[in-house]
Amino acid sequence: MVSELNLSKNVCVIGAGPAGLVAARELRREGHEVVVIEQKHDVGGQWLYDSKVEEENPLGRTRFLKVHSSVYASLRLISPREIMGFTDFPFRGKKGRDMRRFPGHKELLLYLQDFCDSFGLREHIRFNTRVENVEMLDFPVLDKEHLKWVVKSKAEKEKEVEEVYDAVVVATGHYSHPRLPSIKGMDAWKRKQMHSHIYRVPHPFKNEVVVVVGSSLSGQDISMELVNVAKEIYLSSKSPDISQGLSKVIAKHDNLNLKPQIESLHEDGKVLFRDGSWIIADTIIYCTGADEYKWALCRYSYSFPFLDTKGIVRIEDDRVGPLYEHTFPPSLAPSLSFIGIPRKIIGFPFFESQAIWIAQLLSGKRSLPSWDAMMQSIEEFYDSREAAGIPKHYTHDIAEFEYCDKYANYTGFPHLEEWRKVLCISAIVNAEANLETYRESYEQDEEMLQVAYTSTHFTQHGPQDST
């Protein structure tokens, strides 16, 4: 529903990663006052590389993590740069920088810094400031039309500040808080255990016997990096049906071995696998979560330790809910919203469509369905996932271009271009077959790349540097 109203709200955005930055831009475009609170010293969120991990709990078992980024030093993008940019700010290759189609993580950080500076967002961001608490102003009185939020934050070496906002947008990401498997003997195992969240470089594992738990993309990347320094690497996977690409890598390296899931861990360093085989290991690196090891990024848990909604929004087995369209809690929307909850999507354009909808709802230009209609939609979604046999902890794993297009319809946001979809699928298929080379060898994409680079996404600002 569209209205001519244009109300200006005072909005707090939590996080200055991709989701928070595009939220700030769209809120400002809609006429809102915006403050972005960011715990680190610069924008980028997950893409702001942090090498100082020594003080972090190696398994992430703390309420507030000291390290936000899970990026390791050698990480390169698993998606081609063409598909990743915001709709009006293409992720181009620039001379003097990393112009590869699958660049290193620093290149994406530079893109986000460019985005931030191009739209004048930096002056609206409070850096080195952590949000300590967010709660409703007049609870238990719930007046959705006039609901306000108390945000307590603390800058480094400063006293805590308490402020009241008309709305809060949570944009803190979901690749920071490790989701660990449950393994018998895990707490009694005396040797080194860590989650890949704090893995950065391979040299600390020189001459070690390392077990990498989970054949996620990150698990595969880390295993391939360790083969040059570790004595032995054992990649523990739920399924023996691994990709052709991973099979090629294992066949190529004598010190890289595929193993089934771990049955139990023992105090003397023994790692017993479910096929009865065992080894004595120096280190275990967890690159998975729950009870599954799958072809995906490492699993992380949603965590909002600062957010107090009096139980209205809950996290149960990695389901954040209830959320209408993965964005709005019906009892608190639109004054509270979340950007970046869905996984297995082309992220940046989706974040952009979320930000536009939130901004227009807050200005009064659009309105949400009734509470009953939103709750019914949520329940129908949950029921459809259950009927399809999808576990609860995959609630926010979308993996559908059609959903992104449906979401876009709420604000008239453009649908994903066909070339974007084709290049996304091509990268996944190529990685499955050619794990070590897919980032460098992509002849099958040449024709679609021409379509992409002659599309309005890349030509709207005229000719510039390109890959």
Side-chain angles (χ1 to χ4, degrees):
M1 184 175 174
V2 182
S3 168
E4 294 301 319
L5 284 174
N6 192 9
L7 306 173
S8 179
K9 297 291 181 70
N10 187 25
V11 186
C12 177
V13 176
I14 304 175
L21 290 174
V22 76
R25 185 187 73 168
E26 296 305 329
L27 287 163
R28 290 189 64 236
R29 281 179 167 178
E30 195 63 21
H32 301 294
E33 295 294 322
V34 181
V35 172
V36 182
I37 302 180
E38 168 54 48
Q39 64 181 332
K40 308 305 287 187
H41 66 279
D42 201 352
V43 301
Q46 190 61 226
W47 300 101
L48 183 61
Y49 176 73
D50 186 353
S51 62
K52 298 177 181 178
V53 297
E54 295 80 13
E55 295 184 10
E56 185 62 274
N57 182 294
L59 294 175
R61 289 174 169 169
T62 55
R63 181 166 177 258
F64 285 100
L65 294 174
K66 296 177 181 178
V67 177
H68 179 71
S69 175
S70 297
V71 167
Y72 42 94
S74 66
L75 185 142
R76 290 176 62 183
L77 304 189
I78 62 173
S79 298
R81 69 189 311 145
E82 307 84 39
I83 74 171
M84 294 189 66
F86 296 115
T87 57
D88 60 353
F89 201 79
F91 186 15
R92 300 176 181 274
K94 292 191 174 183
K95 291 180 180 177
R97 299 204 329 207
D98 187 347
M99 294 182 66
R100 295 173 295 179
R101 281 194 72 207
F102 298 83
H105 57 83
K106 184 179 179 181
E107 180 67 11
L108 187 50
L109 173 64
L110 292 172
Y111 167 80
L112 293 171
Q113 291 172 338
D114 289 345
F115 179 85
C116 176
D117 296 335
S118 294
F119 294 101
L121 303 177
R122 198 170 289 272
E123 63 190 84
H124 300 276
I125 305 172
R126 296 179 190 167
F127 292 108
N128 296 311
T129 303
R130 189 170 77 181
V131 175
E132 301 286 349
N133 186 255
V134 175
E135 62 184 9
M136 291 168 275
L137 178 61
D138 295 320
F139 186 84
V141 178
L142 274 181
D143 178 0
K144 283 182 61 177
E145 297 301 316
H146 303 95
L147 184 60
K148 292 183 183 292
W149 294 86
V150 179
V151 177
K152 296 178 182 178
S153 62
K154 188 178 183 304
E156 288 183 0
K157 301 179 182 179
E158 300 289 341
K159 292 182 178 179
E160 186 176 87
V161 174
E162 181 177 305
E163 298 166 297
V164 176
Y165 292 92
D166 298 313
V168 171
V169 179
V170 179
T172 52
H174 54 249
Y175 288 118
S176 293
H177 204 280
R179 181 174 170 86
L180 296 166
S182 177
I183 299 173
K184 182 181 178 182
M186 189 171 171
D187 291 335
W189 205 70
K190 301 298 184 184
R191 301 192 180 192
K192 185 176 180 181
Q193 297 182 78
M194 58 183 283
H195 192 273
S196 60
H197 171 63
I198 63 166
Y199 174 88
R200 291 297 182 266
V201 292
H203 63 77
F205 308 93
K206 186 174 182 179
N207 296 326
E208 286 193 355
V209 175
V210 181
V211 177
V212 176
V213 181
S215 56
S216 64
L217 285 174
S218 299
Q220 294 176 31
D221 259 3
I222 291 170
S223 295
M224 288 191 292
E225 188 166 71
L226 289 174
V227 294
N228 296 315
V229 296
K231 181 180 179 181
E232 296 283 344
I233 305 101
Y234 295 89
L235 181 59
S236 172
S237 175
K238 179 181 180 181
S239 172
D241 299 324
I242 59 173
S243 70
Q244 179 185 357
L246 180 56
S247 294
K248 291 178 183 177
V249 173
I250 292 173
K252 181 178 175 181
H253 299 283
D254 292 338
N255 63 338
L256 178 57
N257 310 276
L258 184 67
K259 286 289 185 180
Q261 284 181 292
I262 297 173
E263 178 67 29
S264 59
L265 301 176
H266 301 263
E267 289 189 37
D268 61 356
K270 181 188 288 185
V271 179
L272 177 65
F273 299 99
R274 290 192 176 178
D275 63 356
S277 64
W278 60 272
I279 53 104
I280 300 294
D282 298 296
T283 299
I284 299 175
I285 304 176
Y286 295 101
C287 298
T288 187
D291 59 351
E292 69 288 335
Y293 314 152
K294 60 199 295 290
W295 178 267
L297 291 171
C298 288
R299 298 293 296 189
Y300 289 85
S301 294
Y302 297 97
S303 179
F304 313 107
F306 52 84
L307 184 60
D308 180 5
T309 64
K310 308 303 179 186
I312 294 173
V313 178
R314 304 176 301 278
I315 303 174
E316 297 176 353
D317 193 14
D318 233 18
R319 172 184 286 174
V320 184
L323 293 182
Y324 177 63
E325 300 294 7
H326 306 272
T327 309
F328 304 104
S331 296
L332 304 173
S335 69
L336 178 66
S337 57
F338 296 78
I339 296 186
I341 294 291
R343 297 182 286 218
K344 295 189 177 180
I345 55 169
I346 300 178
F348 288 18
F350 189 80
F351 302 159
E352 190 176 353
S353 66
Q354 287 185 292
I356 290 171
W357 196 7
I358 292 167
Q360 292 182 355
L361 286 167
L362 291 174
S363 69
K365 187 176 291 185
R366 296 184 186 273
S367 60
L368 287 167
S370 67
W371 183 90
D372 286 337
M374 287 192 283
M375 289 302 297
Q376 181 179 346
S377 174
I378 293 167
E379 290 303 322
E380 288 174 352
F381 174 72
Y382 289 169
D383 289 345
S384 70
R385 304 289 274 189
E386 185 176 353
I390 299 172
K392 190 175 185 177
H393 52 258
Y394 290 151
T395 295
H396 304 295
D397 286 19
I398 304 302
E400 289 181 3
F401 295 132
E402 293 77 14
Y403 178 79
C404 298
D405 289 343
K406 184 193 102 172
Y407 195 101
N409 290 338
Y410 288 116
T411 59
F413 189 75
H415 288 189
L416 289 170
E417 305 92 333
E418 191 63 24
W419 58 261
R420 217 185 275 248
K421 299 175 184 177
V422 171
L423 291 175
C424 176
I425 295 298
S426 177
I428 294 171
V429 171
N430 196 14
E432 288 264 5
N434 304 292
L435 184 59
E436 283 191 298
T437 61
Y438 78 96
R439 292 182 176 96
E440 314 297 345
S441 180
Y442 39 80
E443 293 80 6
Q444 74 284 354
D445 291 341
E446 294 299 334
E447 183 176 339
M448 196 54 67
L449 281 170
Q450 289 302 311
V451 174
Y453 280 109
T454 55
S455 71
T456 55
H457 176 67
F458 283 98
T459 62
Q460 59 188 317
H461 302 298
Q464 298 179 37
D465 296 345
S466 63
T467 53

